[in-house]
């Protein structure tokens, strides 16, 4: 009855099985031997499909014999898959992992995977899947190793997709133009993915006998609160991204890193922002880049005037809404531990000037330009002095806080006016600076 093969059909969920367990086993494929761990799950429920499997098989036969499916056949097929997402409920699943090993042509191969978990499935949700302790190792005439502490593919919510499909009144009216205008409504809400403790040590095909050694402590993509197919809350981050710098690099930037005594990069970044519907604002909590022996650039801000039209499916409406955004707050912090020296050295080389002379000249120019453009008021003098000291190397840290004097923020009209007369900037904002 749960699969619609018995009449009368019932919409009630029924238990198909309880506590499903597979003890594991072994598998041999040619020279490879695998030990497979235990697989177990809890309760599985299902209800009768609106379109039974026999009806689906009949439809499949009709589609195979026809050159082009009819609108009715397409509707039946899509209805089946839309209903399938809600026709069953599963309990979380656990798999104890596997170990495989083999050898061939003087090459030894090992692959292992630890515990794998999958969340409960049903009600339009495709659950998160997490795999732990993944390792692949090859030894012999060519050798390499890749390991991964954890990989998690976060859940996908297909409810927005099914809801958009159910709102179609006439499927025969759906054409290419309609789909272009409405396709974003069908985008499911994907929560993201994450990676922890990635390591790779493999041959470098481009540099002879050198090797590529890469590490990454963490990488995460988190997406939430979708509006018309666009996540209104976004978090992207990565830490401990490490890679060797070649001994004789061809890129100028890598050469400068080598000249500074760096033989390995260790960097990270973070982007976190969210739309506050009630406040009609976008909070840029952090836009940060950091590097070991390079320094940190950390930016945060608050944008006002962010209406729901910002997520409109019509590109012109979305663009007009974006032009209505205003910057209420903008905070910039820079901590120089080497990145500024790299930039100055590269620009000085392009100008054909000694680095120290170029740095002194640029420092004085920055001070004079800022004071000249903003006028000789205290805020302009403080900003000019702070930027000059940072560029000149006297200060390793600079913080600049910009706050709009208007509740509507600094928008496109003000920015266009500043292009004609930059001295008006302090009419729109307050600027505070501090250095260390």
């Amino acid at each position: 009855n749960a699969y619609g093969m018995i009449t009368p059909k019932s919409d009630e969920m029924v238990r198909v099985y309880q506590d499903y367990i597979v003890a594991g086993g072994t598998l041999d494929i040619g020279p490879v031997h695998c030990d497979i761990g235990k697989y177990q799950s809890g309760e599985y429920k299902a209800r009768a499909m609106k379109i039974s499997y026999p009806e689906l098989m009949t439809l499949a036969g009709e589609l195979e014999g026809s050159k082009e499916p009819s609108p009715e056949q397409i509707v039946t097929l899509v209805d089946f898959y839309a209903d399938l997402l809600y026709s069953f409920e599963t309990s979380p699943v656990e798999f104890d992992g596997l170990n495989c090993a083999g050898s061939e042509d003087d090459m030894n191969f090992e692959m292992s995977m630890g515990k794998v978990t999958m969340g409960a499935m049903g009600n339009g949700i495709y659950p998160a899947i997490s795999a732990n302790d993944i390792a692949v190792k090859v030894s012999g005439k060519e050798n390499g190793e890749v390991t991964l502490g954890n990989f998690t593919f976060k859940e996908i919510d297909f409810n927005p997709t099914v809801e958009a499909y159910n709102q179609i009144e006439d499927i025969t009216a759906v054409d290419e133009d309609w789909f272009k205008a409405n396709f974003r409504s069908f985008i499911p809400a994907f929560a993201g993915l994450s990676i922890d403790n990635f390591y790779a040590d493999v041959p470098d095909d481009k540099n002879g006998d050198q090797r590529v050694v890469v590490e990454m402590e963490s990488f995460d993509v988190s997406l939430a609160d979708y509006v018309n197919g666009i996540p209104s809350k976004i978090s992207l981050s990565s830490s401990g991204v490490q890679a060797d710098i070649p001994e004789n690099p061809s890129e100028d930037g890598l050469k400068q890193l080598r000249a500074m005594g760096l033989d390995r990069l260790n960097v990270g970044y973070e982007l976190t922002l969210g739309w506050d519907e009630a406040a009609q604002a976008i909070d840029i909590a952090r836009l940060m880049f950091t590097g070991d022996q390079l320094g940190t650039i950390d930016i945060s801000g608050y944008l006002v005037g962010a209406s729901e039209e910002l997520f409109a499916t019509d590109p012109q409406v979305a663009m007009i809404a974006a032009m209505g955004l205003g910057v209420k707050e903008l905070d910039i912090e820079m901590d120089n531990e080497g990145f500024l020296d790299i930039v100055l050295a590269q620009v000085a080389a392009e100008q054909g000037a000694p680095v120290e002379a170029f740095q002194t000249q640029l420092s004085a120019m920055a001070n004079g330009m800022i004071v000249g453009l903003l006028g000789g008021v205290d805020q302009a003098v403080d900003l000019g002095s702070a930027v000059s000291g940072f560029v000149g190397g006297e200060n390793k840290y600079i913080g600049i806080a910009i706050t709009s004097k208007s509740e509507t923020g600094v928008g496109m009209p003000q920015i266009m006016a500043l292009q004609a007369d930059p001295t008006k900037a302090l009419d729109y904002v307050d600027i505070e600076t501090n250095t260390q």
Side-chain angles (χ1 to χ4, degrees):
N1 184 45
Y3 293 97
M5 297 182 181
I6 300 175
T7 56
K9 296 180 180 180
S10 172
D11 291 333
E12 181 182 355
M13 287 283 185
V14 297
R15 179 185 296 167
V16 178
Y17 59 74
Q18 175 77 33
D19 296 332
Y20 181 76
I21 299 175
V22 177
T26 61
L27 178 66
D28 291 287
I29 305 176
V32 179
H33 172 81
C34 295
D35 294 312
I36 303 172
K38 182 175 66 176
Y39 171 95
Q40 59 183 339
S41 180
E43 185 179 52
Y44 173 81
K45 290 182 177 182
R47 63 160 172 77
M49 298 284 294
K50 295 178 182 178
I51 300 170
S52 68
Y53 283 93
E55 292 172 326
L56 181 65
M57 294 302 100
T58 301
L59 175 61
E62 293 173 354
L63 292 174
E64 186 176 353
S66 63
K67 294 182 179 180
E68 185 175 342
S70 66
E72 292 76 13
Q73 290 174 325
I74 295 176
V75 170
T76 301
L77 188 62
V78 176
D79 282 346
F80 171 80
Y81 285 109
D83 185 42
L84 179 65
L85 294 169
Y86 302 89
S87 66
F88 64 91
E89 296 176 0
T90 71
S91 299
V93 174
E94 287 189 5
F95 172 51
D96 287 347
L98 56 84
N99 290 278
C100 296
S103 60
E104 187 175 17
D105 299 331
D106 298 324
M107 296 283 289
N108 297 318
F109 166 82
E110 297 177 31
M111 192 277 282
S112 62
M113 181 168 58
K115 187 177 289 293
V116 178
T117 61
M118 182 172 72
M121 183 184 298
N123 299 311
I125 302 295
Y126 188 87
I129 300 175
S130 181
N132 298 281
D133 302 324
I134 301 170
V136 178
K137 185 175 182 180
V138 177
S139 58
K141 56 185 178 182
E142 291 187 6
N143 61 85
E145 180 180 5
V146 177
T147 61
L148 184 59
N150 173 269
F151 173 78
T152 298
F153 187 88
K154 301 178 185 180
E155 73 173 31
I156 304 176
D157 185 356
F158 285 97
N159 282 287
T161 306
V162 176
E163 182 180 351
Y165 171 70
N166 289 334
Q167 290 178 354
I168 300 176
E169 297 180 357
D170 182 8
I171 194 67
T172 60
V174 175
D175 54 18
E176 185 177 351
D177 292 336
W178 183 94
F179 189 75
K180 286 182 179 179
N182 296 275
F183 82 94
R184 272 180 36 201
S185 301
F186 291 84
I187 297 176
F190 174 43
L193 55 88
S194 66
I195 295 172
D196 289 321
N197 297 322
F198 172 79
Y199 173 81
D201 181 355
V202 296
D204 187 351
D205 296 333
K206 297 181 179 180
N207 293 289
D209 58 354
Q210 295 190 42
R211 300 187 66 80
V212 176
V213 181
V214 179
E215 295 181 59
M216 180 169 60
E217 291 179 5
S218 67
F219 171 77
D220 182 82
V221 177
S222 295
L223 311 171
D225 296 351
Y226 279 69
V227 180
N228 287 332
I230 298 177
S232 65
K233 291 185 178 179
I234 299 173
S235 177
L236 310 175
S237 66
S238 185
S239 65
V241 181
Q242 304 179 53
D244 288 335
I245 301 173
E247 292 183 7
N248 298 299
S250 56
E251 295 83 358
D252 291 338
L254 295 179
K255 289 180 181 178
Q256 291 163 11
L257 290 174
R258 271 286 181 179
M260 291 174 57
L262 290 174
D263 56 10
R264 188 166 176 79
L265 284 175
N266 186 346
V267 299
Y269 70 88
E270 179 182 343
L271 168 63
T272 301
L273 59 85
W275 177 56
D276 186 335
E277 182 178 6
Q280 299 276 284
I282 295 176
D283 181 15
I284 305 174
R286 166 164 279 186
L287 173 58
M288 181 269 294
F289 173 85
T290 184
D292 186 30
Q293 300 184 61
L294 293 174
T296 301
I297 300 175
D298 197 348
I299 301 172
S300 60
Y302 195 75
L303 310 181
V304 294
S307 65
E308 189 172 357
E309 281 74 21
L310 199 63
F311 303 91
T313 55
D314 187 330
Q316 292 186 343
V317 174
M319 182 178 67
I320 293 173
M323 293 179 65
L325 290 172
V327 180
K328 179 60 180 173
E329 298 175 8
L330 183 63
D331 294 313
I332 304 170
E333 296 182 85
M334 291 185 285
D335 189 357
N336 175 38
E337 294 180 7
F339 77 86
L340 184 60
D341 307 277
I342 295 173
V343 173
L344 290 173
Q346 185 168 351
V347 176
E350 293 174 356
Q351 298 292 327
V355 176
E356 292 184 0
F358 177 77
Q359 184 175 16
T360 301
Q361 181 182 8
L362 186 62
S363 173
M365 185 184 303
N367 189 14
M369 183 177 296
I370 291 172
V371 174
L373 288 176
L374 300 182
V377 297
D378 290 344
Q379 292 186 48
V381 172
D382 290 344
L383 178 61
S385 177
V387 173
S388 175
F390 184 73
V391 173
E394 298 172 12
N395 304 313
K396 294 297 184 182
Y397 167 86
I398 183 173
I400 303 173
I402 303 173
T403 306
S404 171
K405 294 181 177 180
S406 169
E407 291 299 320
T408 57
V410 178
M412 190 59 65
Q414 290 80 17
I415 293 174
M416 294 179 66
L418 289 175
Q419 291 179 345
D421 187 2
T423 62
K424 297 291 185 180
L426 294 177
D427 291 343
Y428 302 133
V429 299
D430 289 316
I431 302 176
E432 293 184 8
T433 57
N434 63 86
T435 57
Q436 295 177 13

